[in-house]
Amino acid sequence: MDRLIFVEVLDRRGRVVQRARLDALPATVGRGYRNTVILDDRYVSPEHVRIALADDGSLVVEDLGSANGLFLEPGPERVARAAVRPGAVFRVGHTLLRVATAEQDVAPAALDPAAAVPGRRRTSRRALALALAAALGLSMLLSYLGTYGETSAAALIADALTLGAGLVSWSGAWALVTRVTAQRFGFGQHLAVVAGVFLAVEVAQLVLQLGDLIESGTALYSATQTLLLVLALASALYGHLRIAAALSPGRRLAWALGVAAAFVGLDEFTDFAQGRRFDRSPTFAGAVRPVAGARAMSLDAFIAGAAELQRSVDAQADESAR
């Protein structure tokens, strides 16, 4: 035989699970041990089909009187004999088979996120430490700005250290998953993903609060917060899956968005089912502490805001009393 011919066994998604090289033709396919290609499928006969060369040199597959027949995909009709070109798929029992030759093109190799690629700079430990420190520092600042009472530096530092421990634990869990799926840990990469996403979220929160872009307590503010949470969670999941799982970018994105939307949606639905509002902030916007460079509020605006706050509190009290 002048050319190399292979038979590929496919799963239901079209992925190759087994390859068999045909060193001579004709070759048989079946469940019996005398076949060239042995299939573990109870719907396949002991000798199901034969692959041979026709007079014109083309490949043909022939049914050998099997119980469940031969089908040329995607056609639903049972056939006794069919010509098969490289790349053609046919079915025997519940098994999909595909003919391939040595000249057939294959998809390019997927890029390994952990491999060193020329021209790509890996995240250094110093950059990772700076990103993590910046994220925790912004978290302390936002906690300080969002607290009405007295706040000590020790309490802020303790909260930041607790948050840092949570981020490290989260990264460690993903590193264990990566060890199982890809035979490596990649802890630094996972920590870089979660630190980068958390830093981006904190920056966005700081811009929203200090820039006074959207009035807090409104429906638009609540929707923005929910969207920001979905995007942050989806970004983190996408980054983790890129390191831990050999998925295509499209499938990674679909999984990340789907899981993030489902998680946030379940959290919001739980709040709704328990009788709480979707937004967890008062309907009045006001600065907690003066910030250098922040826009000043006139006395008239302060009085108008206080009156609006009073009306809001009265309305909520009336609604609760009903």
Side-chain angles (χ1 to χ4, degrees):
M1 192 169 58
D2 297 334
R3 54 179 174 170
L4 293 176
I5 298 175
F6 301 85
V7 173
E8 298 176 330
V9 181
L10 311 177
D11 63 10
R12 294 184 178 181
R13 295 184 178 180
R15 297 175 297 188
V16 178
V17 296
Q18 177 186 343
R19 287 186 177 92
R21 175 174 171 173
L22 305 184
D23 294 320
L25 292 177
T28 58
V29 179
R31 200 159 33 88
Y33 290 100
R34 294 183 179 180
N35 294 285
T36 310
V37 182
I38 302 174
L39 301 178
D40 186 16
D41 183 346
R42 64 175 180 165
Y43 299 102
V44 171
S45 298
E47 286 191 359
H48 202 107
V49 295
R50 176 172 53 223
I51 301 173
L53 286 175
D55 295 337
D56 60 357
S58 61
L59 286 174
V60 294
V61 58
E62 303 170 336
D63 190 351
L64 297 178
S66 62
N68 294 307
L70 167 66
F71 298 84
L72 191 63
E73 293 291 311
E77 299 295 332
R78 179 171 178 169
V79 297
R81 174 187 172 97
V84 287
R85 296 180 178 179
V89 178
F90 58 94
R91 178 171 61 86
V92 293
H94 286 184
T95 303
L96 294 176
L97 302 173
R98 180 170 61 196
V99 176
T101 63
E103 295 77 18
Q104 188 166 328
D105 294 332
V106 297
L111 294 178
D112 186 353
V117 179
R120 180 189 299 175
R121 298 182 59 184
R122 301 187 65 174
T123 304
S124 65
R125 294 183 179 180
R126 179 178 298 180
L128 177 58
L130 289 176
L132 189 59
L136 296 181
L138 280 179
S139 175
M140 293 172 59
L141 177 60
L142 289 173
S143 178
Y144 174 76
L145 293 177
T147 303
Y148 289 86
E150 294 293 333
T151 304
S152 64
L156 293 175
I157 294 174
D159 290 342
L161 292 178
T162 302
L163 177 61
L167 298 181
V168 170
S169 300
W170 173 269
S171 303
W174 273 102
L176 293 177
V177 173
T178 308
R179 181 66 180 86
V180 174
T181 59
Q183 290 73 52
R184 61 175 183 271
F185 282 103
F187 173 78
Q189 292 177 294
H190 287 295
L191 185 58
V193 167
V194 71
V197 172
F198 191 79
L199 179 60
V201 171
E202 294 298 319
V203 170
Q205 292 276 18
L206 191 63
V207 170
L208 286 176
Q209 289 190 17
L210 299 185
D212 197 21
L213 301 179
I214 302 175
E215 183 180 357
S216 62
T218 62
L220 179 59
Y221 187 85
S222 299
T224 303
Q225 294 280 8
T226 301
L227 179 60
L228 183 62
L229 180 58
V230 171
L231 292 178
L233 184 57
S235 299
L237 290 176
Y238 184 91
H240 291 313
L241 289 175
R242 182 175 178 271
I243 301 168
L247 298 175
S248 64
R251 293 186 63 189
R252 274 201 304 267
L253 181 61
W255 273 103
L257 287 176
V259 172
F263 181 83
V264 175
L266 180 62
D267 179 64
E268 298 291 353
F269 179 77
T270 301
D271 289 344
F272 177 76
Q274 293 177 351
R276 296 199 296 266
R277 292 170 56 89
F278 282 114
D279 56 322
R280 302 179 181 84
S281 56
T283 58
F284 173 75
V288 178
R289 290 188 172 94
V291 181
R295 186 174 54 189
M297 178 181 292
S298 65
L299 179 61
D300 293 338
F302 176 80
I303 294 176
E308 176 64 26
L309 175 62
Q310 182 65 50
R311 287 192 295 269
S312 176
V313 171
D314 294 340
Q316 293 183 15
D318 294 339
E319 182 178 353
S320 300
R322 294 175 183 175

